[in-house]
Amino acid sequence: MKKKYFFFVIIVSLFYTFVFGFSSVSSGEENKLNLDQLIDFFVAGEYQEVLDNLSRSQLAVGVLPQEGVFLQIASLLSLGEIDQAAETLKSILDKSYLFTDHLISLLVSDLVQSEQITRAQIWVQLLQDLYSQSPVTFPSTVEVARALTLENPRESLSLITSSLYLAQTEEQRLQAAIIIVANLRETGHFAEAFFFLRHLFYTYPTLSSSETREEASPLLAELEPAGWSPATQLASAEFLIKLGWSETALSILNQLNFSLLSASAKEQFFLLLIQIYLSSGNLDQLSSVLTQMERTLGETDSFLFYSGVLKQRQAYYTQAISIYRYLLSVFPDTPYQYSTYLNLKTCYWVTDIDGYQAILNEMISLFPNRPQFVWELFWFYLQKEQTSSAYEALDLLLSFPERKNQALFWQYKLSNIPSLDPLLSIVQGSYIDYYFVRAWQELEQQGISLSADFLFSPMTEELSLPTHSSHWEKYLFLKKLELWNNAEKELTYLRRIYPQYSAIHWELSDFYREKKDFRKSILHGIYYQQQLPGTAAPRQVWEKVYPDFFLTYIETLCEPFEIDPYLILSLVRAESFFDVQAVSPAGAVGLAQLMPSTAAWMIEIKMVDIPHTEGDYSYLFQPENSLSLGISYLAYLLDLFEGKIYPAICAYNAGPGRVQQWLKENPQDPDYFFEAIPFSETHNYLEKVLVNYFHYSLIYQNHFEPKNLL
């Protein structure tokens, strides 16, 4: 009986051990946090799922791992639970958590977006106190200061000026300065805002004219220049002319007390008026100003130069030549010397071809470091069929390293018994330009097999990155969560404090590709390549410099037209650098940089089928729409020009009408056509696309065999 009881106890014990023991293990597994799974939920936008999983873990905030706390607070913010997020964040401020600065930054952003600016101020002050050197501190301060500009501009001004010491880059200092301009405007200090903006425009090269115009526009109607000093009036008028506001500048100049000006200020006054009337094409007013200028100042070099310009604009070329020659004889060291010779060259080209040749020789002697005049002289001799003189000009052109390929290629073109030596010299060099590409083509057509291997070097070393830094750990975690702006701040901070780690550019290129900021991805690929020794680079580096973004979609669109997808990639890289938000000064939009009017015409004639609202061109910023339109338009141009690549590419830039005229005027030779393109922009554009096409073909296909150039 005792024996049976003993076995019974053993069995019951084993039962309890297995059942409750395993139950306990199972419960432990259930409570265990799976951070990777939580990150997946967060990235997918399933923030409540993140919170539910954290809740089921039954771990208090104080025991959660740092990443878990971050996910909890970030998820609360994403769900709009700002108060709960703020309370949770307060509970960890006394802990040395790695990501607290970023959590405060995210909270500040959400408070600003929900217009809780006073609370945002409190938190940003805390951020400054606890994390003054964090890469998110100054951007968060700027965010709050901007939000305060309309609500309380004086408070905004106080915040941004007291925080300038936190700015870590020139770009951040400029951001702060622009906020100061806005606050001065909002507090009624219009003149001060205008003068400070003028100072910024000349101090920060990265401040564009369009950005400056945007900030200055609300100020113009409020200015009272009549009370300014003459020097301030002149400086302000000059600033406005640079921004393209000639009428406003003229209004200021008309209020100026001319009698108070010094002789040099009077000359500046006249020169500003000359700029205004030249840009508007008002030659009668220009003539009147020049008459007043001569009466007041006499025959200065500036008076003579612009008198020549006036005659040239009026098509009185012989008179212009006389004035320019007189200017150079009276003022041989004038600062207008170079511009005067350029204008003389143009006048002689129109009126006296022998004089044109003479002035080119004169300019080559006077400006020996400018090879473009040697090239123009060569082209002149070539058109005149003066072969021996053309060869002499090419020999001189060879002395300029930047023009060596051009000179060698044309030596080959002009040779009666073509030798391949000039072409071989070009491809043995390292500078890939139009002439390198054409030399490559010519050699292959002559049966010489060339290898793409010259472009590539092995990837011999592992990338060296500052993995020891806590900022690197932050970056990796924030990138996992696709909190792109926060991750970017950490990575760009690493680039600043560890300039010796060139591989950070490699990482930045990958990062921006993931972020879909393709332009920056290419730029950092280029920055990395530039730090490599020699001109060859690993294929992986070239793929960053010449990326195949959107390739699958491009291949699908190209197939019906039988267009090489790598030609499209080459064109897009030249047009927009893969910036989907690109807008050119002329108004071309999107990846493929089509004018809205061209896109509207294509849709109207059913060349493409893209739903849109008339007058709304936002659809051009969608990559798929822009590529569809761009590829269809290039296909149309290729069909128009019988499949010839050169005129189709030029027409994409300059319009088909112009290109049809160029084809009538120039020989049916691709190189003569290229050199004779009258628009420098189109000439450079064709070269850029062709060089891109060469790189793309070698990197991804190992050969370059385009046909039917012209």
Side-chain angles (χ1 to χ4, degrees), residues 600 612-617 619:
H612 73 293
T613 304
E614 189 172 350
D616 178 10
Y617 300 110
Y619 67 94

mmCIF file with all atom_site columns, all heavy atoms in Angstrom, residues 600 612-617 619:
data_model
loop_
_atom_site.group_PDB
_atom_site.id
_atom_site.type_symbol
_atom_site.label_atom_id
_atom_site.label_alt_id
_atom_site.label_comp_id
_atom_site.label_asym_id
_atom_site.label_entity_id
_atom_site.label_seq_id
_atom_site.pdbx_PDB_ins_code
_atom_site.Cartn_x
_atom_site.Cartn_y
_atom_site.Cartn_z
_atom_site.occupancy
_atom_site.B_iso_or_equiv
_atom_site.pdbx_formal_charge
_atom_site.auth_seq_id
_atom_site.auth_comp_id
_atom_site.auth_asym_id
_atom_site.auth_atom_id
_atom_site.pdbx_PDB_model_num
ATOM 1  N N   . ALA A 1 600 ? 0.631  68.912 -71.144 1.00 0.00 ? 600 ALA A N   1
ATOM 2  C CA  . ALA A 1 600 ? -0.794 69.099 -71.434 1.00 0.00 ? 600 ALA A CA  1
ATOM 3  C C   . ALA A 1 600 ? -1.100 68.777 -72.899 1.00 0.00 ? 600 ALA A C   1
ATOM 4  O O   . ALA A 1 600 ? -2.130 68.153 -73.216 1.00 0.00 ? 600 ALA A O   1
ATOM 5  C CB  . ALA A 1 600 ? -1.203 70.532 -71.100 1.00 0.00 ? 600 ALA A CB  1
ATOM 6  N N   . HIS A 1 612 ? -5.892 64.012 -64.916 1.00 0.00 ? 612 HIS A N   1
ATOM 7  C CA  . HIS A 1 612 ? -5.419 65.240 -64.295 1.00 0.00 ? 612 HIS A CA  1
ATOM 8  C C   . HIS A 1 612 ? -6.515 66.287 -64.347 1.00 0.00 ? 612 HIS A C   1
ATOM 9  O O   . HIS A 1 612 ? -7.492 66.150 -65.085 1.00 0.00 ? 612 HIS A O   1
ATOM 10 C CB  . HIS A 1 612 ? -4.170 65.756 -65.004 1.00 0.00 ? 612 HIS A CB  1
ATOM 11 C CG  . HIS A 1 612 ? -4.441 66.351 -66.351 1.00 0.00 ? 612 HIS A CG  1
ATOM 12 N ND1 . HIS A 1 612 ? -4.870 65.588 -67.419 1.00 0.00 ? 612 HIS A ND1 1
ATOM 13 C CD2 . HIS A 1 612 ? -4.377 67.645 -66.794 1.00 0.00 ? 612 HIS A CD2 1
ATOM 14 C CE1 . HIS A 1 612 ? -5.045 66.371 -68.470 1.00 0.00 ? 612 HIS A CE1 1
ATOM 15 N NE2 . HIS A 1 612 ? -4.759 67.613 -68.121 1.00 0.00 ? 612 HIS A NE2 1
ATOM 16 N N   . THR A 1 613 ? -6.332 67.330 -63.558 1.00 0.00 ? 613 THR A N   1
ATOM 17 C CA  . THR A 1 613 ? -7.251 68.461 -63.551 1.00 0.00 ? 613 THR A CA  1
ATOM 18 C C   . THR A 1 613 ? -6.597 69.608 -64.303 1.00 0.00 ? 613 THR A C   1
ATOM 19 O O   . THR A 1 613 ? -5.427 69.927 -64.070 1.00 0.00 ? 613 THR A O   1
ATOM 20 C CB  . THR A 1 613 ? -7.558 68.909 -62.106 1.00 0.00 ? 613 THR A CB  1
ATOM 21 O OG1 . THR A 1 613 ? -8.074 67.784 -61.390 1.00 0.00 ? 613 THR A OG1 1
ATOM 22 C CG2 . THR A 1 613 ? -8.570 70.042 -62.088 1.00 0.00 ? 613 THR A CG2 1
ATOM 23 N N   . GLU A 1 614 ? -7.337 70.221 -65.201 1.00 0.00 ? 614 GLU A N   1
ATOM 24 C CA  . GLU A 1 614 ? -6.772 71.301 -66.011 1.00 0.00 ? 614 GLU A CA  1
ATOM 25 C C   . GLU A 1 614 ? -6.244 72.421 -65.112 1.00 0.00 ? 614 GLU A C   1
ATOM 26 O O   . GLU A 1 614 ? -6.918 72.886 -64.198 1.00 0.00 ? 614 GLU A O   1
ATOM 27 C CB  . GLU A 1 614 ? -7.849 71.848 -66.956 1.00 0.00 ? 614 GLU A CB  1
ATOM 28 C CG  . GLU A 1 614 ? -7.291 72.817 -67.982 1.00 0.00 ? 614 GLU A CG  1
ATOM 29 C CD  . GLU A 1 614 ? -8.316 73.217 -69.037 1.00 0.00 ? 614 GLU A CD  1
ATOM 30 O OE1 . GLU A 1 614 ? -9.393 72.595 -69.084 1.00 0.00 ? 614 GLU A OE1 1
ATOM 31 O OE2 . GLU A 1 614 ? -8.021 74.144 -69.797 1.00 0.00 ? 614 GLU A OE2 1
ATOM 32 N N   . GLY A 1 615 ? -5.030 72.846 -65.398 1.00 0.00 ? 615 GLY A N   1
ATOM 33 C CA  . GLY A 1 615 ? -4.408 73.909 -64.611 1.00 0.00 ? 615 GLY A CA  1
ATOM 34 C C   . GLY A 1 615 ? -3.654 73.414 -63.393 1.00 0.00 ? 615 GLY A C   1
ATOM 35 O O   . GLY A 1 615 ? -2.907 74.168 -62.774 1.00 0.00 ? 615 GLY A O   1
ATOM 36 N N   . ASP A 1 616 ? -3.834 72.135 -63.041 1.00 0.00 ? 616 ASP A N   1
ATOM 37 C CA  . ASP A 1 616 ? -3.126 71.560 -61.892 1.00 0.00 ? 616 ASP A CA  1
ATOM 38 C C   . ASP A 1 616 ? -2.031 70.631 -62.415 1.00 0.00 ? 616 ASP A C   1
ATOM 39 O O   . ASP A 1 616 ? -2.319 69.598 -63.008 1.00 0.00 ? 616 ASP A O   1
ATOM 40 C CB  . ASP A 1 616 ? -4.114 70.783 -61.012 1.00 0.00 ? 616 ASP A CB  1
ATOM 41 C CG  . ASP A 1 616 ? -3.418 70.115 -59.822 1.00 0.00 ? 616 ASP A CG  1
ATOM 42 O OD1 . ASP A 1 616 ? -2.236 70.416 -59.580 1.00 0.00 ? 616 ASP A OD1 1
ATOM 43 O OD2 . ASP A 1 616 ? -4.061 69.285 -59.153 1.00 0.00 ? 616 ASP A OD2 1
ATOM 44 N N   . TYR A 1 617 ? -0.782 71.024 -62.200 1.00 0.00 ? 617 TYR A N   1
ATOM 45 C CA  . TYR A 1 617 ? 0.336  70.258 -62.745 1.00 0.00 ? 617 TYR A CA  1
ATOM 46 C C   . TYR A 1 617 ? 1.046  69.417 -61.691 1.00 0.00 ? 617 TYR A C   1
ATOM 47 O O   . TYR A 1 617 ? 2.169  68.956 -61.911 1.00 0.00 ? 617 TYR A O   1
ATOM 48 C CB  . TYR A 1 617 ? 1.330  71.201 -63.438 1.00 0.00 ? 617 TYR A CB  1
ATOM 49 C CG  . TYR A 1 617 ? 0.692  71.964 -64.577 1.00 0.00 ? 617 TYR A CG  1
ATOM 50 C CD1 . TYR A 1 617 ? 0.450  73.331 -64.480 1.00 0.00 ? 617 TYR A CD1 1
ATOM 51 C CD2 . TYR A 1 617 ? 0.299  71.293 -65.725 1.00 0.00 ? 617 TYR A CD2 1
ATOM 52 C CE1 . TYR A 1 617 ? -0.155 74.027 -65.512 1.00 0.00 ? 617 TYR A CE1 1
ATOM 53 C CE2 . TYR A 1 617 ? -0.303 71.984 -66.766 1.00 0.00 ? 617 TYR A CE2 1
ATOM 54 C CZ  . TYR A 1 617 ? -0.532 73.345 -66.662 1.00 0.00 ? 617 TYR A CZ  1
ATOM 55 O OH  . TYR A 1 617 ? -1.141 74.019 -67.688 1.00 0.00 ? 617 TYR A OH  1
ATOM 56 N N   . TYR A 1 619 ? 0.499  66.501 -60.914 1.00 0.00 ? 619 TYR A N   1
ATOM 57 C CA  . TYR A 1 619 ? 0.685  65.119 -61.366 1.00 0.00 ? 619 TYR A CA  1
ATOM 58 C C   . TYR A 1 619 ? 2.072  64.908 -61.960 1.00 0.00 ? 619 TYR A C   1
ATOM 59 O O   . TYR A 1 619 ? 2.570  63.772 -62.024 1.00 0.00 ? 619 TYR A O   1
ATOM 60 C CB  . TYR A 1 619 ? -0.390 64.740 -62.398 1.00 0.00 ? 619 TYR A CB  1
ATOM 61 C CG  . TYR A 1 619 ? -0.291 65.473 -63.715 1.00 0.00 ? 619 TYR A CG  1
ATOM 62 C CD1 . TYR A 1 619 ? 0.410  64.920 -64.790 1.00 0.00 ? 619 TYR A CD1 1
ATOM 63 C CD2 . TYR A 1 619 ? -0.894 66.709 -63.900 1.00 0.00 ? 619 TYR A CD2 1
ATOM 64 C CE1 . TYR A 1 619 ? 0.505  65.580 -66.006 1.00 0.00 ? 619 TYR A CE1 1
ATOM 65 C CE2 . TYR A 1 619 ? -0.808 67.376 -65.103 1.00 0.00 ? 619 TYR A CE2 1
ATOM 66 C CZ  . TYR A 1 619 ? -0.105 66.813 -66.157 1.00 0.00 ? 619 TYR A CZ  1
ATOM 67 O OH  . TYR A 1 619 ? -0.008 67.469 -67.355 1.00 0.00 ? 619 TYR A OH  1
#
